[in-house]
């Protein structure tokens, strides 16, 4: 019997103006789909003119300049609608959705939808179950005592997954998809009996525990910092009084 992680998967990734999900903007995004391990990967790409300057530090990472985005990017409102509809359609087919560090990409998309569409990701997914698989959460739980960084680049090296063209949304999404297959194969005895829905629920619990552990580490190091335990989507911040 073929395990679910060898079958149909989709993966989503974004490139952005920064790392603040409440303030930064999406400049590119990609949704990739693969019907079976080793099969052809179908890629949908979006390029966005965010309407705000792209900081030099962000351009150094993903290579997208203000000039390029102004010339070739589309306005955010229709693009965010297309992205959210594409995610909803993919989830409606029952495909698990791979998102590396899901609370970042999915929350940022949600905020862009609120900003440009007066809507939310939850509204687009109304009635559609989203079964997210986050390779970062999986690896931190399944190999929790391993030291070292757990970026996409680090995890791909660890699990011998090819990452060709890092910090391109399509390349990162494709690598994340293959990374989930690799992680699940390595820990198949612990994961093979779990359905994607069950794994989604467990990851929310695992991520919350990981957030508490990271907060404790920050406090012990003398640099207290709050770590949001929400997964795969952070709740909307309450409006300022």
């Amino acid at each position: 019997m073929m395990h679910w992680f060898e079958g149909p998967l989709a993966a989503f990734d974004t490139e952005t103006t920064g790392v603040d999900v409440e303030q930064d903007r999406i400049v590119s995004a990609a949704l990739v789909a693969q019907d079976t391990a080793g099969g052809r990967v179908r890629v949908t790409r979006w390029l966005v003119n965010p309407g705000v300057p792209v900081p030099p530090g962000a351009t150094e990472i993903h290579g997208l300049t203000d000039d390029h985005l102004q010339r070739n990017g589309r306005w955010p409102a229709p693009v965010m609608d297309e992205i959210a509809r594409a995610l909803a359609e993919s989830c409606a087919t029952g495909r698990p959705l791979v998102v590396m560090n899901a609370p970042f990409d999915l929350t940022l998309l949600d905020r862009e939808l609120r900003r440009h569409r007066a809507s939310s990701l939850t509204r687009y997914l109304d009635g559609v179950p989203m079964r997210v698989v986050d390779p970062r959460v999986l690896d931190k739980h399944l190999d929790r005592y391993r030291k070292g960084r757990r970026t996409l680049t680090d995890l791909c090296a660890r699990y011998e997954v090819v990452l060709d063209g890092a910090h391109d949304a399509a390349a990162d999404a494709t690598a994340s998809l293959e990374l989930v297959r690799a992680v699940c194969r390595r820990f198949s005895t612990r994961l093979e009996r779990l359905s994607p829905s069950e794994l989604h629920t467990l990851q929310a619990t695992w991520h919350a525990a990981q957030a508490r552990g990271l907060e404790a580490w920050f406090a012990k190091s003398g640099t207290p910092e709050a770590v949001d335990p929400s997964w795969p989507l952070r709740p909307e911040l309450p409006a300022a009084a």
Side-chain angles (χ1 to χ4, degrees), residues 29-227:
L31 178 65
V32 306
Q34 188 181 45
D35 292 333
T36 187
R40 182 174 66 89
V41 175
R42 301 184 299 281
V43 181
T44 305
R45 303 171 183 263
W46 294 272
L47 191 66
V48 187
N49 179 352
V52 299
V54 180
T59 296
E60 287 179 9
I61 293 173
H62 51 57
L64 298 171
T65 65
D66 281 329
D67 181 66
H68 179 76
L69 293 171
Q70 289 169 9
R71 289 175 181 271
N72 301 286
R74 297 166 56 206
W75 288 113
V79 175
M80 300 310 150
D81 177 71
E82 288 178 15
I83 294 173
R85 288 181 184 276
L87 290 184
E89 289 171 5
S90 179
C91 291
T93 68
R95 288 177 187 269
L97 179 65
V98 175
V99 191
M100 173 74 182
N101 192 17
F104 177 78
D105 293 85
L106 295 182
T107 302
L108 191 55
L109 174 59
D110 176 78
R111 302 314 191 249
E112 288 278 55
L113 290 167
R114 294 174 187 274
R115 184 178 294 121
H116 297 291
R117 304 294 304 186
S119 188
S120 68
L121 184 56
T122 301
R123 289 180 187 174
Y124 276 86
L125 292 165
D126 185 29
V128 176
M130 184 169 60
R131 300 178 298 175
V132 176
V133 186
D134 188 333
R136 187 169 182 267
V137 173
L138 288 183
D139 176 73
K140 288 183 72 174
H141 177 77
L142 296 167
D143 199 359
R144 68 181 69 184
Y145 300 113
R146 189 183 79 248
K147 295 182 179 180
R149 290 156 49 88
R150 298 180 194 251
T151 66
L152 179 60
T153 300
D154 296 317
L155 293 184
C156 284
R158 174 75 179 177
Y159 290 91
E160 299 181 343
V161 170
V162 174
L163 174 54
D164 187 9
H167 302 299
D168 169 83
D172 287 358
T174 301
S176 296
L177 186 152
E178 295 296 343
L179 182 58
V180 161
R181 297 197 194 280
V183 172
C184 289
R185 287 170 188 149
R186 183 169 299 186
F187 295 98
S188 61
T189 57
R190 299 169 63 180
L191 297 174
E192 62 187 6
R193 295 187 179 182
L194 295 173
S195 70
S197 295
E198 291 169 330
L199 186 58
H200 178 103
T201 300
L202 285 171
Q203 285 172 102
T205 301
W206 296 344
H207 179 269
Q210 292 162 8
R212 291 193 297 269
L214 188 55
E215 273 196 356
W217 184 86
F218 282 137
K220 186 177 181 180
S221 301
T223 55
E225 183 176 334
V227 182

